[in-house]
Amino acid sequence: MRKITISVPGKLILMGEHAVVYGKPCIVVAVSQRMQVAVEKIDETVFRLNAIDLDFENYQKPLTEIGIGEIPKEAKFAEIALLNFTSKYKIQSGVEITTRSDFSAQIGFGSSAAVAVGVIKSAAELFGLPLSQKEIFNLAYKTVLDVQGKGSGFDVAAAIYGGTLYFQTGGSIIEPLQTNGLNLVIGYSGVKADTVTMMNQVLGKMKNFKSGIDEIFNNIEKLVSEAKIAILDKDWQRVGTLMNYNQNYLEDLGVSTDKLNIMIEAAIKAGAYGAKLSGAGGGDCMIALVAPNKKLQVSYAIAEAGGQIININVNAPGVKVENL
Ligand code: PMV
């Protein structure tokens, strides 16, 4: 039977995390490590899932029970994405979905959003529905909110549109930015962070000290707006400085860790324009903005500080069909 395979890029947030959950903009870049999602129709009236990298295979449920009962965490995003898709477009057909990824779900490259986008886009292709990017965004973002209750949708946008985006909460702005010459070094801290836990931590602080946190978010918003201009001007020195300020605010929010701070400091000492954590914090990755001739020495310094260097290219294309 016909099988559709698509691929979806991972992402890194350059600036604006956390503030973007509360109506502010961020800048996000799609990366070259991708997730593959294959989908095919099957005769049985079931949904079957194989998440190869998670050692989670042959998970199966009757179509009538999708989204009902306890869903294992490995299946949540795929199952709810399929439920949202089949309910909206009145599809009743058995399907088997297989996911594989170039990147581990541990490092914060956006595997949950990539699965949601992958399932919706591949199912749309399989059933011959020419969905627009915004229609895919709306359904995949709904999936993220259904599963985790909160989130800005920046990762969903990166997975769909690719490149570099100036993005505002819920996709109210999704603006591609030209960022040729953006050179990043990525260091993984070795600690898996839980995005929802970190968002809840910030929410807790907001409840105790709303005006203080609001002020931090307003300041981050200014940094992101300035960074957008500096990026378009290719003024990397300035972008780096703005990233450093953004990191200071993330430390004020309490989401950085000692390990991330050590890696960030090492990168700056080794000559990076700027460095900061990327994502929710609490672990995952840090990023350093570098001139091409500083890439090696900054990489060594981050590795020396205990980080694991992850080699990626930025500005990867968004979701695309791999076979037809
Ligand atoms: O942890 P990550 O890489 O998924 O990034 C989360 C970024 C937040 O702003 C904290 C959440 C969001 O949905 O924007």
Side-chain angles (χ1 to χ4, degrees):
M1 265 195 225
R2 191 156 159 256
K3 183 173 181 176
I4 300 284
T5 304
I6 59 141
S7 73
V8 193
K11 60 83 189 127
L12 283 165
I13 191 163
L14 283 185
M15 289 179 65
E17 47 274 268
H18 288 291
V20 68
V21 180
Y22 297 92
K24 308 297 188 191
C26 77
I27 299 172
V28 58
V29 62
V31 302
S32 52
Q33 293 195 358
R34 301 180 78 84
M35 175 175 286
Q36 286 77 40
V37 179
V39 59
E40 60 192 312
K41 286 186 202 170
I42 52 177
D43 290 334
E44 305 98 301
T45 51
V46 298
F47 153 58
R48 191 177 299 140
L49 176 68
N50 310 299
I52 307 292
D53 306 280
L54 305 178
D55 274 335
F56 185 80
E57 291 181 45
N58 284 313
Y59 169 75
Q60 187 164 304
K61 236 175 174 177
L63 289 179
T64 48
E65 286 173 28
I66 297 184
I68 298 172
E70 190 59 32
I71 305 173
K73 65 177 188 322
E74 295 89 341
K76 269 190 184 150
F77 283 89
E79 183 167 332
I80 301 299
L82 188 69
L83 174 67
N84 282 330
F85 176 83
T86 52
S87 323
K88 178 151 178 133
Y89 297 106
K90 315 265 176 288
I91 303 277
Q92 284 174 323
S93 163
V95 289
E96 176 159 352
I97 295 173
T98 303
T99 64
R100 270 191 194 84
S101 184
D102 300 340
F103 56 89
S104 149
Q106 303 290 315
I107 63 174
F109 270 20
S111 52
S112 307
V115 168
V117 168
V119 167
I120 291 163
K121 171 70 178 173
S122 59
E125 291 289 328
L126 186 69
F127 294 103
L129 296 169
L131 302 192
S132 68
Q133 290 179 311
K134 199 63 212 268
E135 282 170 316
I136 296 173
F137 177 87
N138 290 339
L139 219 47
Y141 182 44
K142 177 183 187 310
T143 303
V144 170
L145 294 180
D146 288 346
V147 174
Q148 64 182 36
K150 45 170 82 78
S152 66
F154 81 106
D155 41 6
V156 175
I160 295 168
Y161 295 82
T164 305
L165 303 172
Y166 176 82
F167 174 91
Q168 192 168 290
T169 324
S172 54
I173 302 175
I174 302 178
E175 189 185 326
L177 299 179
Q178 268 304 336
T179 58
N180 299 340
L182 177 76
N183 265 297
L184 294 179
V185 177
I186 319 302
Y188 175 53
S189 67
V191 179
K192 161 93 189 104
D194 182 61
T195 304
V196 176
T197 305
M198 299 311 292
M199 281 195 278
N200 284 338
Q201 200 171 299
V202 171
L203 183 63
K205 291 215 160 105
M206 271 186 114
K207 284 185 181 147
N208 288 330
F209 187 35
K210 179 148 180 3
S211 60
I213 303 295
D214 280 349
E215 198 182 321
I216 292 179
F217 286 164
N218 288 336
N219 287 331
I220 291 177
E221 178 179 27
K222 287 180 199 144
L223 293 177
V224 171
S225 309
E226 295 224 4
K228 180 184 169 191
I229 297 166
I231 284 173
L232 295 175
D233 288 347
K234 303 206 184 305
D235 186 349
W236 304 121
Q237 185 81 58
R238 173 113 189 105
V239 178
T241 303
L242 296 166
M243 286 169 66
N244 291 339
Y245 285 132
N246 194 164
Q247 172 63 19
N248 291 342
Y249 286 121
L250 291 165
E251 283 175 39
D252 292 346
L253 280 178
V255 297
S256 200
T257 65
D258 290 346
K259 179 78 182 278
L260 285 166
N261 292 345
I262 291 168
M263 292 160 67
I264 289 164
E265 230 170 81
I268 293 169
K269 259 201 195 136
Y273 290 129
K276 60 181 278 297
L277 68 82
S278 174
D284 286 350
C285 291
M286 52 74 69
I287 55 175
L289 182 70
V290 295
N293 63 351
K294 291 275 165 64
K295 201 162 185 166
L296 214 55
Q297 73 200 61
V298 170
S299 302
Y300 281 135
I302 294 171
E304 186 85 347
Q308 179 191 331
I309 300 300
I310 299 179
N311 286 309
I312 48 102
N313 293 318
V314 293
N315 283 323
V319 63
K320 59 178 187 196
V321 179
E322 298 288 351
N323 75 327
L324 265 182

